[in-house]
Amino acid sequence: MTLETVLLTAAALIGVGVYGAMSQQVVVMVMMGIELAVAGVLLALGGLWWFTSPDVSLQTLGLVVLAAMTVEMATGFAVATLLHRRDGTDMTDMAAGLHE
Amino acid sequence: MQVTDAGLLTHLAYAALALTAVAAGVAVFVVDSMARATWALGTSFVCVGLALVLMGQSYLGVITVLMMVMEMAVMAVYMQMFMGMNPALMPMSMVHSHRTAVLAGVGTFAALAAAALLIPWPDRRTTPLSSPDADVTAAMGRDIMGAHELVMLAVGPVMVATVVVGVVLSVRGSRYDRLGDDLDLDPDRKAHR
């Protein structure tokens, strides 16, 4: 466990998350990709805190990142519900509401 | 506990957590079942939370584990509500622009990994704050009630706004749909719908 290995793990999580968010067709799966990337950010933040500067204010920043994850998830669920209700779909390709 | 004193056990535990986190993250987009994908994501989050605990951040780590397990439970229900088939019984590949996405993912990883390895990160033994507070959780509590109270004051309304957003987006019709523009229609007649 060194700073480099922690940051590499975080980079891998973010990379997989970017792949998922870009490739998935189901809205909820896109959200999973985004969540995975934010988890990578959280891990990188934790690693930087522990290995470079264990200042408590960075912990508060971690709480904000966690809050962002919650907001993303709650809003994403609401959007998925809206899409499903309006268009009967859960796929990003069929959600053309803004396009019309 | 000094950084350099991290024992073999810590290294091994971290290696296991890191590998599991990434492998479970990949599994999310590989497995043929929405429920399995959800719990794979949950496993990945739990590993991230435990890695944070390993790095002396018990509060943040434990709250990550608790929050994400609950979130995955909700997500599993969602997946099964909205998937119009029984994905556990058939292989599924629901991707678009696969090549672009793979390139973007690999490119992101390569760029971040290069940054992680090439940037000369400061060592905490040479920075002014060489060791964390004795009780990180208590120090954090004082911080969010003191120096960074404004941060938490801002996060609170954001959370409330999120609740409102969630309800407004997902509710089926508003009272104006049910009761007309002047809110005086009989909701049972549904003449205006």
Side-chain angles (χ1 to χ4, degrees):
Chain A
M1 187 172 70
T2 64
L3 179 59
E4 280 75 18
T5 54
V6 173
L7 289 181
L8 281 178
T9 315
L13 286 176
I14 295 173
V16 175
V18 166
Y19 160 76
M22 286 185 68
S23 69
Q24 294 299 309
Q25 288 181 329
V26 179
V27 175
V28 187
M29 293 288 281
V30 174
M31 284 161 56
M32 286 185 162
I34 300 172
E35 289 277 300
L36 207 55
V38 184
V41 171
L42 193 64
L43 184 65
L45 190 66
L48 286 172
W49 180 85
W50 177 247
F51 287 108
T52 68
S53 177
D55 179 0
V56 75
S57 61
L58 266 180
Q59 292 286 300
T60 308
L61 185 59
L63 277 184
V64 173
V65 173
L66 266 178
M69 277 174 110
T70 330
V71 168
E72 186 265 323
M73 198 61 120
T75 316
F77 280 142
V79 170
T81 311
L82 178 71
L83 282 177
H84 195 261
R85 188 161 269 166
R86 201 185 57 193
D87 301 338
T89 180
D90 58 1
M91 312 285 262
T92 50
D93 294 344
M94 299 174 197
L98 281 177
H99 177 66
E100 283 158 2
Chain B
M1 182 168 112
Q2 283 296 309
V3 181
T4 44
D5 295 344
L8 181 66
L9 210 58
T10 316
H11 285 298
L12 285 179
Y14 179 75
L17 287 175
L19 290 177
T20 315
V22 176
V26 172
V28 170
F29 304 110
V30 173
V31 293
D32 283 339
S33 150
M34 285 294 172
R36 274 174 230 156
T38 308
W39 289 114
L41 189 63
T43 307
S44 185
F45 284 146
V46 168
C47 288
V48 169
L50 292 180
L52 289 177
V53 172
L54 217 53
M55 292 187 287
Q57 299 156 71
S58 34
Y59 180 78
L60 218 52
V62 168
I63 208 161
T64 304
V65 170
L66 291 178
M67 203 174 92
M68 290 308 149
V69 168
M70 280 315 292
E71 218 169 272
M72 289 312 114
V74 175
M75 193 174 241
V77 173
Y78 251 74
M79 290 299 223
Q80 287 163 19
M81 265 161 62
F82 288 152
M83 292 300 297
M85 53 174 172
N86 188 346
L89 299 180
M90 61 183 86
M92 57 177 187
S93 173
M94 290 177 300
V95 294
H96 53 186
S97 47
H98 194 250
R99 184 178 295 271
T100 322
V102 169
L103 284 178
V106 172
T108 307
F109 172 73
L112 291 176
L117 295 177
L118 295 180
I119 293 177
W121 300 102
D123 192 302
R124 85 180 197 196
R125 281 165 300 177
T126 61
T127 51
L129 287 153
S130 55
S131 63
D133 299 272
D135 186 344
V136 175
T137 308
M140 188 180 177
R142 278 194 296 275
D143 190 54
I144 62 179
M145 292 293 174
H148 289 95
E149 193 175 4
L150 282 177
V151 176
M152 287 297 127
L153 281 179
V155 166
V158 168
M159 289 299 192
V160 176
T162 307
V163 173
V164 175
V165 164
V167 172
V168 166
L169 279 178
S170 56
V171 74
R172 181 202 296 274
S174 68
R175 56 191 164 160
Y176 294 105
D177 292 316
R178 281 180 285 117
L179 304 174
D181 292 343
D182 295 324
L183 297 178
D184 56 358
L185 292 184
D186 181 357
D188 294 330
R189 275 179 32 218
K190 296 184 177 172
H192 270 236
R193 298 200 73 183

